[in-house]
Amino acid sequence: MSISSSTHKPAKSLPSRFASASLLAVITASLVACGGGGGGTPDPVTTPTNAIELKANRAAFPLVEATVSGFHAAMANGDVSCRDIVQGYLKRIEAYDADVSSAYPASPALHSVITVNAAAALARADQLDATFFKTGKMVGPMHCVPVLAKDNIDTADMKTTAGSLALANNQPPDDAYIIAKIRAAGGIILGKANLDEFAFGFTGSSSVGGKTANAYIATNSAGGSSSGTGTSIATNLAMVGLGSDTGGSVRVPAAVSGLYGLRPTLRLVSQDGIVPLAHGQDTAGVLCRQVQDCALTLDAMAGYDASSGSNQRVAKAYNAPLVGNASAYAAMTSQPATYVPSSSAATALKGARIGVVRAMFPTATSANQGFLDAIEAALTQMRAAGAIVEDVVLTDRTTILTSYSSLSTYEFRDNLTEYLSSWSSLGDGHWRTAEDVQTAMTTLEPTRVANFGFYVTAGTNKESNSVYLNNLTPRDDYVIPRVTAALNNVDYATGATLGVAYDVLVYPVLQGFNGTSVNSGSNNRLSPFTGFPAMAVPVAFVPASSSTTAVQPVAIEMLARPFAETTLFRLAYSWQSIASPRVTSPLAPEL
């Protein structure tokens, strides 16, 4: 059975996370793991197939820059087992994540992982090996893919702390919807990644996990708030990583870690079982070293969730009703059979139309000229691959990015209380309201309680707050039509066509090279303000100086229409195919 299937799930006191939906997902995971997928799928334990022989004299499987397809091919050849690869990642976490010790005197002390569940991960690996080497069949497309999940995503077998000492005992009774789905697809949750505490910012620091180091220049910022996910995947401590993004919390750490980082369309991925920052903007996302692995993970994450905590609404509007059933969800999202681009997408840039929002680029200075040159070189390379790359005007850009604010300031208090109240405290003694957490932090985290208290105060009686109300329907009405006009290549004021529509808009993720503090700017707001999907795409690794071999990642962001994730994956895959932009982190070589 699956790791989570043996966990007792007490009834929840509020309907914010329907136990029935989560239980169904976990039961599905258990059936797949045990070989009984249902729906006419042959049972992999009993279906006659040729067994695969695991080579006794196999060499260690290289984990640096490992991909799912490469791992699965090696497994099918008998060159590696699930236990081999899980043990390998656990050893890498032990060697590179903790502080320097006598056992690991050269550890870079990444502080990217808060906790691991080695026993459960290895037990699951043994189950998967028993099935695979007997039958030659994998239980799903993520068979034995080791995953690190940001520690604000619920796991039934590990606590979910959101990085706070006040939530140190926070043990959810079941998996988040996306975790159950990933387990059902065969994935193994190795552990929980560090983050900005409660996902509040871009500093990469929490009371539980400490400060996350950058994967390329340790003293630089790891971004945030999915800082631990970004650093851990860039340093090859797992194969793929899960984050969450309210303002820029997947794309910023992806940018400073040289990764692909997807923020999906709001409503595509269920929010059930994720510690909230603002339901009106939150979504889980994925960070990977390779485009195909991000797409494969999204295949598992996406899907209809009947839970009232899914936030899968029929429209972007905060008060739109929830999608009523799986058929309506499928019609809304146009979810493909797979998001993984085919090999033919290697030439997808040919004929693609890319609108470059020049006004979202930083002003050139001596300090950032290399940053701008790297992006310009990438755009030139895309043109050479056949893309039509044109400058585009985003009408009222300054107002869009600076006159509106994140909903997190106002929604966090009530959303956190709803989450904490969604299961009984009898088993774990967790706090049940935001105010309870604030009181606990007064003693446990005196240097952080004031910032937390700001959110509690701002979220009290938010329905009478004019600033909050302006960032609901009025913000949608202002921002979405203008961004849509830019994508459609029409003049916003007149509606006149300016040319053929664009597939994506492109602009820098950051406002210059990374440093000890990340220069995030406000470009990251465009996706959460519209609900449109966006992906951070690495385009270059620029030498930090003439006197060092250290490099700085440079990334662009691609923004597409709602539920056009396939467009993002195809274009990013084509770019990956022609440019091979990844550079291995120097801090965590092969063991």
Side-chain angles (χ1 to χ4, degrees), residues 198-256:
F198 289 108
F200 279 160
F202 297 124
T203 63
S205 175
S206 74
S207 298
V208 175
K211 186 172 177 60
T212 305
N214 180 269
Y216 289 89
I217 301 174
T219 55
N220 274 2
S221 172
S225 61
S226 305
S227 49
T229 306
T231 290
S232 65
I233 301 308
T235 55
N236 298 279
L237 304 188
M239 200 162 283
V240 298
L242 305 180
S244 63
D245 190 310
T246 304
S249 292
V250 163
R251 294 157 291 144
V252 170
V256 302

Side-chain angles (χ1 to χ4, degrees), residues 412-464:
F412 175 72
R413 171 186 175 266
D414 290 347
N415 290 172
L416 179 64
T417 294
E418 181 184 35
Y419 164 83
L420 293 172
S421 300
S422 66
W423 77 93
S424 171
S425 296
L426 293 178
D428 62 1
H430 74 275
W431 303 113
R432 298 182 63 78
T433 69
E435 284 81 2
D436 289 342
V437 174
Q438 181 180 8
T439 299
M441 288 178 69
T442 303
T443 301
L444 295 171
E445 304 178 41
T447 62
R448 295 180 184 266
V449 68
N451 185 53
F452 186 92
F454 164 80
Y455 283 83
V456 173
T457 300
T460 302
N461 299 320
K462 65 181 184 295
E463 292 78 9
S464 61

Side-chain angles (χ1 to χ4, degrees), residues 275-443:
V275 180
L277 188 52
H279 279 320
Q281 291 180 196
D282 289 347
T283 180
V286 58
L287 296 89
C288 304
R289 298 181 296 271
Q290 185 194 66
V291 173
Q292 302 96 302
D293 292 350
C294 276
L296 185 71
T297 307
L298 185 64
D299 280 349
M301 294 167 64
Y304 172 66
D305 178 10
S307 162
S308 65
S310 72
N311 205 39
Q312 292 176 327
R313 301 184 181 279
V314 299
K316 161 69 167 57
Y318 77 100
N319 56 355
L322 292 172
V323 175
N325 52 59
S327 296
Y329 172 87
M332 176 180 74
T333 63
S334 300
Q335 186 180 358
T338 179
Y339 287 103
V340 179
S342 67
S343 58
S344 64
T347 59
L349 280 168
K350 185 176 182 179
R353 294 189 54 80
I354 297 173
V356 181
V357 190
R358 291 286 174 186
M360 293 173 70
F361 285 55
T363 301
T365 66
S366 59
N368 70 11
Q369 190 61 59
F371 174 87
L372 293 169
D373 289 346
I375 294 177
E376 202 58 51
L379 295 176
T380 298
Q381 196 170 357
M382 290 178 187
R383 287 190 185 94
I388 295 91
V389 182
E390 300 174 345
D391 289 358
V392 63
V393 172
L394 176 57
T395 302
D396 300 318
R397 172 196 57 84
T398 301
T399 301
I400 289 171
L401 296 179
T402 64
S403 295
Y404 294 98
S405 58
S406 175
L407 296 176
S408 57
T409 302
Y410 310 99
E411 293 188 351
F412 175 72
R413 171 186 175 266
D414 290 347
N415 290 172
L416 179 64
T417 294
E418 181 184 35
Y419 164 83
L420 293 172
S421 300
S422 66
W423 77 93
S424 171
S425 296
L426 293 178
D428 62 1
H430 74 275
W431 303 113
R432 298 182 63 78
T433 69
E435 284 81 2
D436 289 342
V437 174
Q438 181 180 8
T439 299
M441 288 178 69
T442 303
T443 301

Side-chain angles (χ1 to χ4, degrees), residues 27-90:
I27 290 173
T28 303
S30 303
L31 288 172
V32 173
C34 295
T41 302
D43 185 335
V45 174
T46 59
T47 300
T49 58
N50 294 325
I52 293 175
E53 181 181 355
L54 180 62
K55 297 174 182 175
N57 60 345
R58 60 193 181 277
F61 183 80
L63 294 178
V64 171
E65 302 298 311
T67 65
V68 175
S69 60
F71 161 52
H72 281 174
M75 200 172 186
N77 199 42
D79 291 327
V80 65
S81 69
C82 186
R83 172 171 271 267
D84 289 340
I85 203 164
V86 169
Q87 281 183 323
Y89 281 120
L90 291 173

